[in-house]
Amino acid sequence: MATTREELTAKIQRIKREKKLTWKKIAAAIGKGSPIYYTAALHGQMKLSDGEAKKAGKVLGLTENEILLLQEIPYRGSLPPGPPTDPLIYRFYELVQVYGTTWKSLIQEEFGDGIMSAIDFDMQMERQPDPKGDRVKLTMTGKFLSYRQY
Amino acid sequence: MATTREELTAKIQRIKREKKLTWKKIAAAIGKGSPIYYTAALHGQMKLSDGEAKKAGKVLGLTENEILLLQEIPYRGSLPPGPPTDPLIYRFYELVQVYGTTWKSLIQEEFGDGIMSAIDFDMQMERQPDPKGDRVKLTMTGKFLSYRQY
Amino acid sequence: MATTREELTAKIQRIKREKKLTWKKIAAAIGKGSPIYYTAALHGQMKLSDGEAKKAGKVLGLTENEILLLQEIPYRGSLPPGPPTDPLIYRFYELVQVYGTTWKSLIQEEFGDGIMSAIDFDMQMERQPDPKGDRVKLTMTGKFLSYRQY
Amino acid sequence: MATTREELTAKIQRIKREKKLTWKKIAAAIGKGSPIYYTAALHGQMKLSDGEAKKAGKVLGLTENEILLLQEIPYRGSLPPGPPTDPLIYRFYELVQVYGTTWKSLIQEEFGDGIMSAIDFDMQMERQPDPKGDRVKLTMTGKFLSYRQY
Amino acid sequence: MATTREELTAKIQRIKREKKLTWKKIAAAIGKGSPIYYTAALHGQMKLSDGEAKKAGKVLGLTENEILLLQEIPYRGSLPPGPPTDPLIYRFYELVQVYGTTWKSLIQEEFGDGIMSAIDFDMQMERQPDPKGDRVKLTMTGKFLSYRQY
Amino acid sequence: MATTREELTAKIQRIKREKKLTWKKIAAAIGKGSPIYYTAALHGQMKLSDGEAKKAGKVLGLTENEILLLQEIPYRGSLPPGPPTDPLIYRFYELVQVYGTTWKSLIQEEFGDGIMSAIDFDMQMERQPDPKGDRVKLTMTGKFLSYRQY
Amino acid sequence: MATTREELTAKIQRIKREKKLTWKKIAAAIGKGSPIYYTAALHGQMKLSDGEAKKAGKVLGLTENEILLLQEIPYRGSLPPGPPTDPLIYRFYELVQVYGTTWKSLIQEEFGDGIMSAIDFDMQMERQPDPKGDRVKLTMTGKFLSYRQY
Amino acid sequence: MATTREELTAKIQRIKREKKLTWKKIAAAIGKGSPIYYTAALHGQMKLSDGEAKKAGKVLGLTENEILLLQEIPYRGSLPPGPPTDPLIYRFYELVQVYGTTWKSLIQEEFGDGIMSAIDFDMQMERQPDPKGDRVKLTMTGKFLSYRQY
Amino acid sequence: MATTREELTAKIQRIKREKKLTWKKIAAAIGKGSPIYYTAALHGQMKLSDGEAKKAGKVLGLTENEILLLQEIPYRGSLPPGPPTDPLIYRFYELVQVYGTTWKSLIQEEFGDGIMSAIDFDMQMERQPDPKGDRVKLTMTGKFLSYRQY
Amino acid sequence: MATTREELTAKIQRIKREKKLTWKKIAAAIGKGSPIYYTAALHGQMKLSDGEAKKAGKVLGLTENEILLLQEIPYRGSLPPGPPTDPLIYRFYELVQVYGTTWKSLIQEEFGDGIMSAIDFDMQMERQPDPKGDRVKLTMTGKFLSYRQY
């Protein structure tokens, strides 16, 4: 039985393989929320509500304790320390390296002093067909939070 | 006279301050491309074409050598080593930490083994009005590149 | 003339020493805001408004360009990389090490999934007299931001 | 049976989940001290007295050896190496990055050369209602310790 | 039974030792692809097709679940953090240290702004006989990817 | 006047920009050796012979002392510490991460215990035309060095 | 003129060399305090009183501004990041590595939960003659500070 | 049964807790040497003689193999990598940061070029009563070792 | 049964302790090669021949699979990351820190551009009696390898 | 004029280049000591006596202050942080990685608990002719220092 979130993530990956499930199918079974949010929860990065966790437990065959664990707020951070070694994930890290200062200059020029929230945040992923090769399209919105001057 | 890209970026920031310019105005003077791309170039992360560099040189009052320097491919990477300390930029790094494995699972489930290119890539930034507080909206598309099996 | 924020911070420290000023006196000359906020601005971590920057410029004898620089949003982060070596600052880092998981457990038990904002944030510092030795009293409030479920 | 403090912390988290307890309820069962102090002890960062440990053992169903372990002074440090990846905890780390030098300047201007103790230290957490969104209020006091000139 | 890719790699190495197999023999049993690609897959860095995985499972005596695991896209990165300590692998790291800027200058002078893909990539290894001592010959080709100007 | 190799590399890059030279043209002016070797020397990673350095000095307009400096064996290492942030160079680092253990297994299976030399080493770069997009072709040979058993 | 503490430390070292002074002689000229404390101040780690700073300024020939700088509380930390490379200093770091957990066990067994202060702290250095080779004798006392239970 | 020094240290800590022993009592049972030395040995940092190890084994109830293990020279280093997070141990690290260069200057001014040995070294710990709060007194002596000029 | 080289090294150390063997005795039982080479192999850093591994297996009581494992080329690197904390090993690291640039200057002045091989390398260790204290004498020879100019 | 040891080392390298000197010639001019010791001093790692420094000053044309600087004990450590990137120096670091635990086992088996001194240490470098390629021969002796049991 998994008692930590890491163990639970590993168990879910094993079951998914055995049952030949996909993340999308599992997400659809959990509820009407975004598949990105639900997949993040199954990777130990978000929490599920009581109802969602029970549905996840049903499709995956989890124990009662594991269903409770899915409702706990996790200690977030899905990657080992240092720049990510996996090429797909590294490319996002590279975007931060290359565009970081540009994002800062343009967002703050438009909105003033503050940040784009990574908490009041949502995102979508789509396939954008393209004759030269389909493209991954990511759309993110985050609430702009102004620095409080006190 | 600036002889490295870092010196040139610093000089451009000083001139922008003195002339009370904005990144958007400078970008509009450079050409019809994306303000994000042009701002990245002025931060030493992208190169400009000959015509664009000359226009940038004109609006900013750069020397001929500096105009040539803007056309060179830079050694990319705009941030000091380690996680970025600036809060606006850190939030993007946090997204990679929290969502990295989720992106990997969902993109590869949809597209197969490969990555989203950070080279054949474009992005847009918009202000999305919202009664609870306006939101920063970022849209990115990157060509999906399949791992070659050989 | 200082052209970067680091140079400006160093220049301000030199002038403060020469003129035998204190941070509190400089802050009082800048405006009615918190001395903590103003001191952070003079250390290159916050921005001043046009009027505040001019007053700071007057009391410190800064150039016009430096007054503009004080109004720019800085690249934040006041410390060299790695745990801070200065004992006063290290003690705050130690609090994060020792209390980090406790803060997470208690704040999220009280407020649900989310964070205490470091942007919509303010703080105060007071001397709390104590017969066994006076105490430093810090009071911080940060808006609770809920994770958006999408 | 847990024989290290890390194992005991993990076991307490599992029991808390199974028994649907909260940190506040466990703390109230332990004694009249601060819930922050008691929660830190249950996270392996503080020690309990004999009486407190026995009460903790009772509410959580711990073994005698585990009750002794709660009375031992722990090797403190609740976080993995590097900046914390969890967003709630990171925000506190960010405050040290942004305000570190400001705290040093203002505390030492007020008190002279020395530090705010992180040992002779206490803190409180409150919910501060606010129409724009409730706020987390933290109040800390630490004894000021003067550098001994010898 | 191996449930993670690391465990499976370790198990394959043990079986290879017991059965006195070589990587080349195992690769030949898997299919007509490159032995480099197949060996990388058996080291947990590439995925196999269904047919290939079954053949690998047969020659190595793997379970059905392990055969499915070989078809999953792995989290790539075969080395512990930091510069590699093994001398054979370190020499390749050294080549990046010594030749990195040279490769950048010459590839971009020839092809324009962009990179050599590490995804649409293949390589070969040969023994090149030489009277002064045989040489390892590596030939790599990677598609040139141009930076998209947008 | 440049007195360190880093200063000389920077100076050469500035002159190349002003004179609108290419690395290939400079290399051709230096001698009959490989353009890779010569470009590496101009990037401060290899040494030139007396005759080659004089020719490099002539085409670039260097001082006598700088010509001597080009003949000195440099302290090698062309990159800042940590994984390279420039995308073109990072892809080579990624190859080491992904293929490191595979290279070790296959080279040592073929040649026995030892390494491929990065000293008695040469390489070539070619453009390989391809209708789906031209490819960068790199060919490297390194002498195999056997571990001495003593 | 030195405007930072690092520059002042470097200047003091140069003057000491030119005037063939010793740290002990300079310390004796400054006052009756410990030569360790005064030498630490001259290395930018402690502050001097007004009277002491003036005497230091006299024996070393410092400017008025530099004399004020000696009275400022420095940002402490005398070493580059990472374990110290200088062998004399490294040996002290090694003592922390080897004896750290022992000190913790024995001091807390004797005094209860708390620490030895590094602020309310003093030390002495003596030469202890020994026929097998003289010994360095260091004596340190630090106030024991109890963890506050609240 | 413990087969590594780390396992043995953990086992000793568990037994000490169960038997309600103190380090001082265990040390007194081992022999007439310093309690610091013996405690360091029980923390896996020093070796015991045959007779001492047998006495330690008796008081702690260790197996024969564990008694042999106590006589082996350990791989020294009692702390996880990076600056120590435990506050008691960190304060000693802080002393090295603050006083490192001062120790170097004063010891070498007194003794010439060389170091204080951390091998031919001993130390003592005492409680120094003080009306303002008792003090921890540490006395260390280390043989001065001169750099050999050859 | 040990299935990795690390487990095998740990098992050999346990057996050596139980059988009261020494590295020299084990080495002598293995063959006529250097005790340094054989000891390195038993520490998981070199490989043994078939005959040597069998003899090692006999004296240590290893299984057949473990005897095969001793013949495999290991992933080399015997130390945890970062500078070694064990004092004996650290002193060698210190020699590299202090003498690194000197070795480079003198070896390359004598031999030209190249390196001393760490692969075609052997070493010896002797006790050199000395009335002031016996000395450790290490003699190393490594083939000089010239950089290939191509 | 050089006022720090790093500046002096850089100046000496420039003069050596201009005067077409070798380290051996400079060492011979300084005195009868080992060329390794003298070269290390000229690289800022050892100190010279008064007479030696004057002779070094004469052959290199140094100022009086620089001659005094050569007599000061340097802050040792000749390499940038992290594993050395220069291949010649890295090979020595690799030897520590590969042989570190072996050296520890064999030296301590022969001499008991202690270390080989890196302070009471000397070394020699010779060319060892060999028909298969000349070898670099290094001979080091270091006094064995026993751990003091107290």
Side-chain angles (χ1 to χ4, degrees), chain J residues 37-129:
Chain J
Y37 185 90
Y38 289 147
T39 305
L42 298 169
H43 284 69
Q45 301 299 316
M46 295 288 165
K47 70 188 261 301
L48 296 182
S49 69
D50 182 42
E52 291 164 342
K54 278 177 183 150
K55 284 181 197 144
K58 203 172 162 195
V59 68
L60 289 161
L62 305 179
T63 70
E64 199 165 330
N65 193 293
E66 290 164 348
I67 288 169
L68 285 172
L69 187 48
L70 279 174
Q71 300 172 51
E72 283 192 2
I73 303 170
Y75 185 95
R76 289 174 168 98
S78 66
L79 302 173
T85 58
D86 184 81
L88 184 139
I89 301 175
Y90 181 81
R91 297 309 180 267
F92 290 96
Y93 178 86
E94 186 175 298
L95 291 172
V96 179
Q97 287 287 331
V98 171
Y99 281 106
T101 50
T102 298
W103 290 337
K104 179 171 171 68
S105 291
L106 288 176
I107 294 177
Q108 293 183 334
E109 183 168 300
E110 171 69 26
F111 287 88
D113 193 8
I115 62 159
M116 182 187 90
S117 180
I119 306 297
D120 187 340
F121 171 87
D122 57 54
M123 68 181 303
Q124 266 183 288
M125 194 198 89
E126 289 158 277
R127 174 191 282 268
Q128 184 181 277

Side-chain angles (χ1 to χ4, degrees), chain B residues 93-136:
Chain B
Y93 178 86
E94 185 174 299
L95 291 172
V96 178
Q97 287 286 331
V98 171
Y99 281 105
T101 50
T102 298
W103 290 337
K104 179 171 172 67
S105 291
L106 289 175
I107 294 175
Q108 295 183 334
E109 183 168 299
E110 172 67 26
F111 288 88
D113 193 7
I115 64 160
M116 183 186 91
S117 181
I119 307 295
D120 187 340
F121 172 88
D122 57 54
M123 69 181 301
Q124 266 183 288
M125 194 198 90
E126 288 158 279
R127 174 192 282 266
Q128 185 180 275
D130 190 309
K132 290 185 212 143
D134 286 3
R135 298 178 78 78
V136 182

Side-chain angles (χ1 to χ4, degrees), chain G residues 12 18 22 31 33 43 46-47 62 77 82-83 88 90-91 111-112 125 130-131 134-135 145 147-148 150:
Chain G
I12 289 172
E18 283 166 1
T22 64
H43 284 69
M46 295 289 165
K47 71 187 259 301
L62 305 179
L88 184 139
Y90 181 82
R91 296 311 180 266
F111 288 89
M125 194 199 89
D130 189 308
D134 286 4
R135 298 178 78 78
L145 305 176
Y147 255 99
R148 178 196 201 86
Y150 55 96

Side-chain angles (χ1 to χ4, degrees), chain H:
Chain H
M1 191 191 73
T3 59
T4 68
R5 206 67 190 254
E6 288 71 31
E7 290 166 4
L8 185 50
T9 297
K11 182 175 175 180
I12 289 171
Q13 286 171 324
R14 181 171 49 74
I15 293 171
K16 169 178 172 291
R17 185 161 62 238
E18 284 166 2
K19 302 203 172 187
K20 304 199 179 182
L21 292 163
T22 62
W23 297 113
K24 276 192 197 148
K25 276 187 212 160
I26 305 173
I30 291 176
K32 309 213 152 174
S34 158
I36 294 181
Y37 185 92
Y38 289 148
T39 305
L42 298 168
H43 284 70
Q45 301 298 315
M46 295 288 165
K47 71 186 264 298
L48 296 181
S49 70
D50 182 43
E52 291 164 342
K54 279 179 181 148
K55 285 182 197 143
K58 202 171 164 193
V59 68
L60 290 161
L62 304 179
T63 69
E64 198 166 332
N65 193 294
E66 290 164 350
I67 289 168
L68 285 173
L69 187 48
L70 280 174
Q71 300 172 52
E72 283 191 4
I73 302 169
Y75 185 95
R76 289 175 167 97
S78 67
L79 302 173
T85 58
D86 184 81
L88 183 138
I89 301 174
Y90 181 81
R91 296 308 180 269
F92 289 97
Y93 178 86
E94 186 174 297
L95 290 173
V96 178
Q97 287 286 332
V98 171
Y99 280 106
T101 49
T102 298
W103 291 336
K104 180 171 171 68
S105 291
L106 288 176
I107 294 176
Q108 294 183 334
E109 183 168 298
E110 171 68 27
F111 288 88
D113 193 9
I115 64 160
M116 181 185 92
S117 182
I119 306 296
D120 187 340
F121 171 87
D122 57 55
M123 68 181 301
Q124 263 184 290
M125 194 198 90
E126 288 158 279
R127 175 192 281 268
Q128 183 181 278
D130 189 309
K132 292 186 210 142
D134 287 3
R135 299 178 79 78
V136 182
K137 181 174 175 187
L138 294 172
T139 314
M140 306 170 173
T141 82
K143 188 176 175 187
F144 184 77
L145 305 175
S146 293
Y147 256 98
R148 178 197 203 84
Q149 179 158 358
Y150 55 95

Side-chain angles (χ1 to χ4, degrees), chain D residues 148-150, chain G residues 23-24 26-28 30-42 46-48 52 121-125 139, chain H residues 99 102-103 106:
Chain D
R148 178 197 203 84
Q149 179 157 0
Y150 54 95
Chain G
W23 298 111
K24 275 190 200 151
I26 305 173
I30 292 176
K32 309 211 154 176
S34 158
I36 294 182
Y37 185 90
Y38 288 148
T39 305
L42 298 169
M46 295 289 165
K47 71 187 259 301
L48 296 182
E52 291 164 343
F121 172 86
D122 57 53
M123 69 181 301
Q124 266 184 287
M125 194 199 89
T139 314
Chain H
Y99 280 106
T102 298
W103 291 336
L106 288 176

